[in-house]
Amino acid sequence: MNAADLGLPVDVPSTALFTDQYELTMLQAALRGGTADRRSVFEVFTRRLPEGRRYGVVAGTGRVLDAVENFRFDAGVLGFLRERGIVDEPTLAWLADYRFGGDVWGYPEGEVYFPGSPILRVEGSFAECVLLETVILSILNHDSAIAAAASRMSAAAGDRRLIEMGARRTHELAAVAAARAAYVGGFSSTSDLAAGFRYGIPTVGTSAHAFTLLHDTERDAFRAQVESLGRGTTLLVDTYDVAEAVRAAVEIAGPELGAVRIDSGDLLLVAHRVRQQLDELGARDTRIVVTSDLDEYAIASLAAAPVDAYGVGTRLVTGSGHPTCSMVYKLVARAESADPKAPLRSVAKKSLGGKMSVGGRKWAARRAGADGVAEAEVVGTGPVPAELADRQLLVELVKGGEVVAREPLDAARDRHLAALGRLPMSAIQLSRGEPVIPTEYV
């Protein structure tokens, strides 16, 4: 059985209330006004990347598909809406039968995106599409922010492993989503067991300082851990004196000791000293894991250090300073009726302050040079130019209300690595800059 089929070990019976009240009041007004059935197209996009970022990462698509499938108004939810007087009885009757029956197209999970990229396109009646706005945005904004931070950290780490360990720094359910997004962005494992249970992500973990402090001596703690977990375990060596701890660790576990973890101090200096000491003690294959408030810049600064893996928590699960992607969900086209043959009319908000939108049902393609490296994100509403026909980015995710593109999480992870490899090399620079390729509208 796929672990994802088991569901979260947390009682979340429906995603229907993961929404804002005005979605339901708009629905009521549209039902009464006779416009609820109008065929509509909504798109998710961002007007800009977080300051200094050169690309974004699409993450959370699989969770969006789960949320759409589970968007149901059961008796308890309807009772809550009735008790609060949020919508009237005709609207409650409509919600009781709600099932999304439209189509969803989007960038596949793990793909990169840029300002204006139509990351997700939701098509159906106004009524069925408008209800999904909040839950879609909450998932994509959170997960894509985490995945982008993870991607930058992964680029800085090179071929060294990254461990997600931020569960204690965020909401318990957000921690599971963050671990998933981090895995898409290049992390190799997580400390969060709920994420391992729900998504099959490899889990790791051995001991904290509390375990050492529990024992009368550090040697007693190491001995107990090795006897229980084996010589391949990871021993935490910075509770007291690092040099003495490394010596004790090798004496107790032998040269087969799996790893030592350093969680404080000048990590660059300490890592060099520990590596030299391990080698002198014959533990040449023992790895060094470092933790302690790391981000992509700290990881990059340790590139010359003899480090084998990084454990990252707070900065990862908060998007390394950018906890949202500022994605929006906008109506871009609508028909005069529910007739599938009725022509779509482009619509767009017009306002000052940089919040203007581009109307029309859009396609997107990534133009590349002769070397295969991306040159521009091309977004259009008319016919797709012949030279871009095989470079289109949107794929069908939901057809007639049925999910048609569910995939293993590793597929998204592999896709991201491939997508990043097709961008200009400057994409992975940590210095501040503009998006690595421009967005062109045609």
Side-chain angles (χ1 to χ4, degrees):
M1 176 182 288
N2 188 326
D5 294 333
L6 298 174
L8 276 169
V10 178
D11 185 18
V12 182
S14 169
T15 54
L17 291 184
F18 292 167
T19 191
D20 291 307
Q21 180 168 314
Y22 80 167
E23 315 292 5
L24 300 187
T25 52
M26 279 193 289
L27 168 66
Q28 175 176 309
L31 288 170
R32 181 170 295 183
T35 55
D37 289 336
R38 286 186 171 183
R39 188 160 59 95
S40 300
V41 180
F42 285 81
E43 288 176 353
V44 174
F45 62 93
T46 184
R47 297 182 176 95
R48 64 191 66 83
L49 297 179
E51 184 180 356
R53 295 287 174 88
R54 297 171 183 264
Y55 62 91
V57 181
V58 178
T61 309
R63 296 208 307 120
V64 166
L65 298 180
D66 292 341
V68 171
E69 279 190 330
N70 200 35
F71 205 90
R72 303 284 186 270
F73 291 84
D74 59 23
V77 170
L78 293 170
F80 165 78
L81 297 175
R82 178 177 291 109
E83 178 184 345
R84 295 291 182 93
I86 292 172
V87 290
D88 60 19
E89 286 299 325
T91 305
L92 290 172
W94 189 94
L95 291 173
D97 295 327
Y98 178 83
R99 299 290 186 276
F100 179 73
D103 302 330
V104 179
W105 290 72
Y107 282 35
E109 191 157 19
E111 183 57 84
V112 296
Y113 70 87
F114 299 92
S117 297
I119 297 163
L120 201 72
R121 191 174 72 218
V122 182
E123 304 183 29
S125 71
F126 176 84
E128 63 184 337
C129 294
V130 75
L131 293 182
L132 300 176
E133 175 180 4
T134 303
V135 70
I136 286 175
L137 288 179
S138 66
I139 292 172
L140 292 180
N141 268 313
H142 174 269
D143 290 23
S144 296
I146 305 305
S151 178
R152 286 163 58 86
M153 293 174 189
S154 181
D159 59 359
R160 297 174 177 179
R161 291 188 306 113
L162 287 164
I163 305 164
E164 186 281 315
M165 46 195 305
R168 63 191 62 193
R169 296 291 187 260
T170 188
H171 184 279
E172 66 272 18
L173 295 183
V176 181
R180 183 187 183 280
Y183 189 71
V184 170
F187 276 58
S188 60
S189 56
T190 179
S191 65
D192 191 273
L193 290 177
F197 176 81
R198 178 69 178 83
Y199 297 114
I201 302 170
T203 57
V204 296
T206 50
S207 67
H209 293 101
F211 185 76
T212 301
L213 296 170
L214 169 69
H215 292 78
D216 295 335
T217 68
E218 191 170 49
R219 285 177 174 269
D220 288 343
F222 287 174
R223 189 173 295 108
Q225 184 173 328
V226 170
E227 289 176 355
S228 174
L229 302 179
R231 297 176 184 273
T233 191
T234 299
L235 295 176
L236 181 58
V237 295
D238 72 329
T239 305
Y240 303 119
D241 180 86
V242 173
E244 178 57 34
V246 171
R247 186 177 301 108
V250 176
E251 288 179 4
I252 292 168
E256 299 86 8
L257 174 63
V260 295
R261 178 162 74 96
I262 306 166
D263 188 52
S264 59
D266 184 334
L267 297 179
L268 177 62
L269 176 63
V270 176
H272 276 288
R273 288 178 175 173
V274 168
R275 181 74 271 162
Q276 180 179 355
Q277 186 180 9
L278 287 170
D279 292 346
E280 290 173 351
L281 293 170
R284 295 184 176 276
D285 293 329
T286 298
R287 301 178 303 279
I288 297 176
V289 180
V290 295
T291 53
S292 185
D293 294 326
L294 299 177
D295 61 9
E296 60 265 50
Y297 302 103
I299 291 169
S301 74
L302 292 168
V307 171
D308 299 284
Y310 306 94
V312 189
T314 303
R315 294 293 289 177
L316 175 65
V317 299
T318 56
S320 196
H322 298 288
T324 181
C325 303
S326 299
M327 293 178 186
V328 294
Y329 183 95
K330 295 297 181 183
L331 180 66
V332 296
R334 55 93 173 165
E336 299 293 337
S337 69
D339 185 350
K341 295 181 180 180
L344 287 170
R345 171 187 170 189
S346 296
V347 295
K349 173 182 177 180
K350 295 182 180 179
S351 67
L352 302 176
K355 296 185 71 173
M356 291 184 65
S357 302
V358 177
R361 182 181 185 273
K362 300 175 193 67
W363 53 264
R366 192 161 297 144
R367 190 175 70 239
D371 57 359
V373 176
E375 293 181 340
E377 190 90 337
V378 185
V379 178
T381 56
V384 180
E387 66 273 17
L388 295 175
D390 62 348
R391 304 195 66 84
Q392 294 188 71
L393 293 163
L394 280 80
V395 300
E396 193 169 30
L397 301 172
V398 178
K399 183 176 183 178
E402 298 295 325
V403 174
V404 296
R406 189 165 274 116
E407 62 182 4
L409 192 57
D410 279 320
R413 175 184 170 87
D414 294 342
R415 181 181 294 114
H416 176 62
L417 186 61
L420 201 57
R422 291 189 290 267
L423 294 181
M425 291 185 64
S426 57
I428 62 173
Q429 292 179 345
L430 296 182
S431 57
R432 290 183 177 273
E434 297 299 315
V436 70
I437 60 173
T439 301
E440 299 177 358
Y441 292 94
V442 297

